[in-house]
């Protein structure tokens, strides 16, 4: 699939995107489905070059269905345009995108998003505000809501903030000071109703810092690309190195940091993606 990149991987389903086009590949059945265009979108119809489009795969535990969520946003002068769309995979459901009413303030997601316990979570920017929104999309009811963030959290370097899963719970990781100081801040949600979060600080050992300093040089940085099945945070070098492929894996609980090289002589590429797979085989018919 030339020109496509991996947007999201969930339970053996892989979402590949190129601009406004999206395809879903089932890694178990080896089936590929091309999703239809979102023809009724008022934002995409204008000029997709200035749009921000996010595709995310999720599972509806109530109806036992897999759905693709598409969030489209575009800043127009001082006004932010926003649309949420849902497409149901398989099951004989009408193969059309459905627009979801949004009661949240207009926003633009800046995190990849996390699907856990039947909901999708992401952080988003709001025009003329330094305070990001913490948004939840319920996959079954298809309703959006704004949640409370940690009271002591203030993120101004959004590129270095990501929502991850930590020990089965929702967590927000800030790694803005990782490359220079070897420090990461982690907020783990303990109680949603009481908005109770526990804050942890992770500091790398000198030997671990030497590993980063050796490979992350000049204007390079690290980007969080989800977690592995063992809970290791995947850190990908930016910009991407094309002479040899490697990532860093960091276990937040054990404070274990290591480099993993990806050896392959089969492909000559200027672009590569890193995703974390789970152990679930998905036999659904696309």
């Amino acid at each position: 699939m030339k020109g496509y990149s991996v947007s999201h991987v969930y339970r053996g389903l892989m979402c590949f995107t190129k601009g406004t086009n999206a395809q879903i590949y089932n890694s178990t059945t080896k089936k590929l489905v091309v999703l239809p265009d979102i023809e009724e979108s008022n934002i995409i119809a204008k000029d997709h070059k200035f749009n921000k489009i996010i595709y995310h795969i999720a599972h509806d535990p109530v109806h036992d269905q897999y759905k693709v969520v598409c969030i489209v946003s575009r800043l127009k002068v001082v006004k932010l345009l926003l649309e949420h769309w849902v497409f149901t995979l398989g099951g004989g459901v009408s193969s059309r995108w459905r627009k979801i009413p949004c009661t949240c303030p207009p926003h633009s997601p800046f995190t990849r998003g996390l699907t856990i316990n039947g909901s999708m979570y992401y952080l988003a920017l709001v025009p003329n505000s330094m305070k990001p929104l913490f948004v939840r999309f319920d996959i079954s009811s298809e309703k959006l809501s704004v949640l409370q963030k940690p009271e002591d959290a203030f993120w101004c370097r959004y590129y270095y903030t990501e929502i991850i899963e930590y020990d089965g719970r929702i967590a927000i990781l800030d790694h803005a000071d990782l490359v220079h100081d070897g420090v990461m801040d982690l907020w783990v949600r303990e109680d949603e109703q009481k908005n109770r979060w526990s804050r942890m600080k992770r500091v790398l050992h000198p030997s671990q810092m030497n590993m980063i300093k050796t490979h992350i040089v000049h204007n390079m940085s690290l980007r969080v690309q989800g977690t592995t099945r063992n809970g290791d945070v995947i850190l990908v070098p930016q910009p991407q190195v094309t002479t040899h492929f490697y990532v860093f894996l960091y276990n937040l609980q054990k404070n274990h940091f290591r480099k993993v090289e990806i050896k392959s002589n089969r492909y000559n590429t200027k672009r590569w993606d890193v995703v974390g797979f789970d152990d679930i085989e998905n036999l659904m018919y696309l």
Side-chain angles (χ1 to χ4, degrees):
M1 290 181 285
K2 185 177 180 180
Y4 281 80
S5 60
V6 180
S7 173
H8 187 226
V9 176
Y10 183 71
R11 294 189 178 181
L13 299 177
M14 305 179 68
C15 181
F16 293 90
T17 60
K18 182 175 69 172
T20 60
N21 302 316
Q23 302 181 10
I24 304 296
Y25 176 71
N26 190 322
S27 60
T28 302
T29 63
K30 313 302 181 186
K31 298 294 184 181
L32 177 71
V33 61
V34 179
L35 299 185
D37 295 334
I38 308 178
E39 298 178 350
E40 299 177 12
S41 171
N42 294 322
I43 302 177
I44 294 179
K46 299 297 181 181
D47 188 352
H48 69 79
K49 293 181 180 179
F50 300 99
N51 296 337
K52 183 172 184 179
I53 305 175
I54 296 177
Y55 287 93
H56 203 88
I57 307 171
H59 179 251
D60 176 351
V62 176
H63 305 97
D64 192 21
Q65 296 174 329
Y66 285 89
K67 300 177 180 180
V68 180
V69 181
C70 180
I71 306 174
V72 186
S73 61
R74 177 160 62 95
L75 183 61
K76 184 178 181 181
V77 190
V78 294
K79 182 180 180 181
L80 183 64
L81 305 178
L82 175 69
E83 294 175 349
H84 288 76
W85 297 85
V86 171
F87 184 91
T88 303
L89 295 170
V93 180
S94 177
S95 57
R96 290 179 59 86
W97 287 96
R98 291 174 286 106
K99 189 175 182 180
I100 305 302
C102 181
T103 57
C104 302
H107 58 267
S108 179
F110 67 84
T111 60
R112 297 174 60 251
L114 172 69
T115 300
I116 183 174
N117 299 329
S119 294
M120 172 185 173
Y121 299 85
Y122 62 88
L123 291 171
L125 294 175
V126 180
N128 303 318
S129 175
M130 292 295 292
K131 297 181 179 180
L133 290 182
F134 182 28
V135 184
R136 176 178 63 191
F137 178 70
D138 187 287
I139 306 302
S140 299
S141 66
E142 299 184 352
K143 292 183 178 180
L144 288 150
S145 57
V146 176
L147 305 179
Q148 291 181 297
K149 304 183 300 294
E151 295 179 353
D152 62 341
F154 178 75
W155 304 292
C156 57
R157 293 171 289 185
Y158 305 116
Y159 179 82
Y160 301 101
T161 305
E162 188 59 76
I163 296 181
I164 64 171
E165 181 178 350
Y166 178 84
D167 195 23
R169 292 166 290 173
I170 297 170
I172 301 176
L173 179 66
D174 182 351
H175 65 290
D177 298 319
L178 174 61
V179 172
H180 294 290
D181 302 320
V183 176
M184 285 185 284
D185 287 306
L186 181 72
W187 288 264
V188 181
R189 191 175 70 176
E190 306 291 352
D191 190 310
E192 178 181 347
Q193 300 299 325
K194 298 180 180 179
N195 192 35
R196 186 166 60 88
W197 297 72
S198 59
R199 183 177 182 179
M200 311 175 192
K201 186 179 290 291
R202 293 291 182 262
V203 181
L204 296 184
H205 300 307
S207 60
Q208 296 170 332
M209 277 302 297
N210 288 337
M211 193 183 308
I212 290 182
K213 296 296 184 182
T214 301
H215 299 282
I216 308 302
V217 297
H218 304 302
N219 295 322
M220 294 180 65
S221 62
L222 291 171
R223 173 172 55 88
V224 173
Q225 191 71 15
T227 57
T228 68
R229 61 174 69 102
N230 297 321
D232 294 341
V233 177
I234 304 172
L235 296 160
V236 183
Q238 298 292 308
Q240 296 169 332
V241 180
T242 57
T243 54
H244 60 287
F245 304 148
Y246 64 91
V247 298
F248 294 103
L249 298 181
Y250 183 52
N251 190 295
L252 293 166
Q253 292 179 306
K254 300 178 181 178
N255 196 23
H256 183 214
F257 189 88
R258 59 194 174 103
K259 175 190 173 187
V260 177
E261 293 190 11
I262 305 171
K263 296 182 179 180
S264 175
N265 297 322
R266 185 177 178 183
Y267 301 106
N268 181 17
T269 178
K270 294 183 178 180
R271 181 182 178 88
W272 53 285
D273 291 295
V274 177
V275 295
F277 269 94
D278 48 39
D279 292 319
I280 296 177
E281 288 191 349
N282 198 320
L283 299 176
M284 74 164 293
Y285 176 71
L286 293 175

